[in-house]
Structure formats: C-alpha cells, structure tokens
Amino acid sequence: DAGITQSPRHKVTETGTPVTLRCHQTENHRYMYWYRQDPGHGLRLIHYSYGVKDTDKGEVSDGYSVSRSKTEDFLLTLESATSSQTSVYFCAIRGSGEAYEQYFGPGTRLTVT
Amino acid sequence: AQSVTQPDIHITVSEGASLELRCNYSYGATPYLFWYVQSPGQGLQLLLKYFSGDTLVQGIKGFEAEFKRSQSSFNLRKPSVHWSDAAEYFCAVGAASGTYKYIFGTGTRLKVLA
C-alpha cells in the first residue's frame, strides 16, 4: 500500500462543467502520474509531475490540466468536461524500488452526460 | 516508436490448468518491464518486475515471467490457475531514467472455468 487516495471515487457531471479530481499521497514521493483507462486502450498517460510546480504532458493531455502546489497533492482538472472524457482515472506514484515501479490509487470513475 | 503489445484480448482456462499471457515490446534501450493485475472495480496491483539480472523473475500469487531480449518478449506464466486469478492483466514497459514514464499494453482479460 503506497498510501494513495483519490477523490471523489465516483462522479457524474454534465457536459461543459469543470471537474477536478484529487490524488493524495502520504509518503513524499516526487513523481506522480495521472492516467485514464478505457476499454481496448489500456492505461494512457495524461500528465505527470516531477516535483512541486513541475508538470508535463503525457500522450492524451488535450482537455486536461494539472497542478501540484504541495508534494502530497496532484490535481487533475477537466476545464469543460466532454462525453469523450468519460473514463476511469488513476493516479500513480513512482516508488523508490530498484525498478522505479509505479503504484496506483483506487481510481475515480467519471461519467460525463 | 515505443510500444507494448498484448496479442490476446481474452483468454479462458480451466482451474488447475497452466497459463501463459503474452507481452511483446518495442523499446530503444534496455527496458524495465512490469506485469500488473486488475480485479473488477479495483486499482492495479504490481505482480512482478524485471530491470536487470536473472531473466526469470518471480512475483506474487505464484506468477513468474521470463524476459527474452531476442524475442522482445516478457510473458507471464502460472503453472496452476486458481479461480481467484480471474482478472485483467497489463504488461508495461518503463523508462529507466528521466521521466520514468510507462507505456501500457491494452490488457488481457482472463476467465477461469471451474
């Protein structure tokens, strides 16, 4: 257990509304990642962070922004949600093991109607 | 381009039978390789990892995987499957430095027949 929590765990929102998902970790890990999981696509990286205020884009970053003002929190924002952003969102941290393996939070299921 | 391929979308095996899930990768440098398991409605749990040394790695829940550089493969195996192994399995390749980003395969869903 890498001490990762995500909130909310489930959310239904309407098209065009802003949504913020929160990832919280308790072990002071430097690297954090946001993924989305969709059937037939596996997990795809949205954004990642390599420190406070240091973030960069992943492969599917359009329509998403992130912020990291504290080591323990990594926020993912959908500025104006669309139906194509209906997905399950996972946060991960990079562990300190020899293979730099990632550990995942429990996920947030987001439905945009 | 870097990629991970899991050729089998679905696999069905009988309880007690052996299992092999395939994973092929394309990566410029020596990769770090991982297998994760995801039970329905759950997050991803790390099963095992390879980063150097012995090419046969042991993981949790009785799983093992073999890194074959010549075939660019990292197949997951289990000698005797239990009904509780029914889940989705993901192979991932990771960078050994820099951003430490992963590339995931699309997953293989395992069904176990009683």
Side-chain angles (χ1 to χ4, degrees):
Chain A
D1 184 358
I4 306 169
T5 57
Q6 293 185 232
S7 58
R9 294 293 312 281
H10 301 271
K11 187 169 181 66
V12 179
T13 192
E14 294 184 347
T15 298
T17 60
V19 177
T20 295
L21 309 182
R22 180 183 183 233
C23 177
H24 179 77
Q25 54 127 338
T26 59
E27 299 184 0
N28 213 34
H29 295 286
R30 179 182 171 192
Y31 284 80
M32 299 182 74
Y33 308 82
W34 275 108
Y35 293 89
R36 60 177 290 173
Q37 182 180 28
D38 305 289
H41 291 277
L43 280 81
R44 294 178 291 174
L45 182 66
I46 305 171
H47 281 280
Y48 64 98
S49 169
Y50 47 97
V52 173
K53 294 185 170 37
D54 293 322
T55 65
D56 205 348
K57 297 178 180 180
E59 62 177 308
V60 290
S61 60
D62 287 348
Y64 301 95
S65 63
V66 290
S67 66
R68 192 166 178 202
S69 58
K70 299 184 290 184
T71 299
E72 59 265 35
D73 289 324
F74 191 30
L75 304 181
L76 177 70
T77 297
L78 291 65
E79 302 289 348
S80 178
T82 68
S83 59
S84 65
Q85 294 175 311
T86 293
S87 187
V88 181
Y89 292 86
F90 287 99
C91 173
I93 58 93
R94 190 205 78 179
S96 53
E98 293 168 296
Y100 303 115
E101 56 268 30
Q102 292 182 19
Y103 295 95
F104 288 79
T108 295
R109 182 173 296 276
L110 176 67
T111 302
V112 184
T113 61
Chain B
Q2 300 165 359
S3 65
V4 177
T5 301
Q6 293 181 246
D8 304 305
I9 299 174
H10 298 278
I11 283 186
T12 300
V13 299
S14 297
E15 191 170 20
S18 63
L19 173 70
E20 183 168 29
L21 303 183
R22 295 183 290 165
C23 174
N24 294 97
Y25 66 90
S26 173
Y27 197 75
T30 299
Y32 285 14
L33 295 159
F34 309 88
W35 275 99
Y36 286 84
V37 61
Q38 184 182 34
S39 297
Q42 302 297 313
L44 280 78
Q45 182 182 20
L46 180 67
L47 279 177
L48 47 75
K49 61 192 177 188
Y50 170 81
F51 59 99
S52 68
D54 193 346
T55 57
L56 183 65
V57 294
Q58 304 296 319
I60 62 171
K61 302 177 187 260
F63 285 92
E64 66 178 26
E66 187 170 14
F67 170 56
K68 293 185 177 180
R69 186 187 302 274
S70 62
Q71 298 177 21
S72 298
S73 68
F74 188 56
N75 293 350
L76 182 71
R77 302 194 294 248
K78 187 169 185 178
S80 177
V81 170
H82 188 263
W83 64 266
S84 60
D85 293 324
E88 191 157 22
Y89 292 80
F90 293 94
C91 180
V93 60
S97 61
T99 61
Y100 307 98
K101 293 191 289 185
Y102 275 15
I103 299 170
F104 278 88
T106 52
T108 297
R109 186 169 296 279
L110 174 65
K111 182 177 179 179
V112 180
L113 301 177

